[in-house]
């Protein structure tokens, strides 16, 4: 995710229970990228609320598919490198 989005900062969040916005009980994690605030060229103040929605840009379907493809490819490369190093 960090390589595909070219970010170094991120939050990892896991919600538990109805009051924590978990509707269906199961374990999952959200990895939330935090882009560099200096990359904001809109002139608007950006909010980096840690556990709220904050400011974000919506992805259209084509952008989301391309991002998922790139992340899968980067993951395949990393798994291959780990296998070559005997780390698997």
């Amino acid at each position: 995710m960090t390589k595909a989005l070219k970010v170094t900062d991120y939050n990892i969040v896991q919600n538990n229970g109805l009051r924590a916005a978990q509707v269906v009980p199961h374990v999952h994690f959200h990895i939330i990228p935090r882009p560099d605030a200096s990359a904001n060229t809109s002139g608007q103040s950006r909010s980096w609320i840690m556990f709220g929605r904050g400011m974000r840009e919506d992805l259209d379907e084509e952008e989301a598919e391309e991002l998922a493809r790139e992340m899968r490819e980067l993951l395949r490369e990393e798994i291959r490198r780990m296998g070559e190093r005997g780390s698997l």
Side-chain angles (χ1 to χ4, degrees):
M1 185 266 318
T2 59
K3 288 180 182 179
L5 295 175
K6 297 171 183 56
V7 298
T8 57
D9 300 335
Y10 56 92
N11 296 106
I12 298 176
V13 178
Q14 197 266 322
N15 301 328
N16 292 295
L18 287 174
R19 287 180 291 218
Q22 182 186 46
V23 178
V24 178
H26 66 290
V27 175
H28 72 275
F29 296 87
H30 299 263
I31 302 172
I32 305 167
R34 297 298 181 183
D36 182 356
S38 67
N40 177 16
T41 58
S42 69
Q44 295 177 338
S45 174
R46 294 192 59 121
S47 170
W48 304 114
I49 300 168
M50 186 177 295
F51 297 112
R53 195 167 172 152
M55 297 291 289
R56 68 179 184 184
E57 296 176 14
D58 290 336
L59 287 176
D60 66 29
E61 197 167 323
E62 287 181 22
E63 290 174 311
E65 287 176 8
E66 175 61 24
L67 180 58
R69 185 204 60 73
E70 184 177 359
M71 290 173 72
R72 282 191 299 271
E73 182 59 33
L74 288 164
L75 184 56
R76 273 192 290 273
E77 290 174 18
E78 183 61 25
I79 291 169
R80 182 186 51 76
R81 279 193 292 273
M82 290 174 69
E84 289 173 357
R85 292 191 311 254
S87 301
L88 287 177

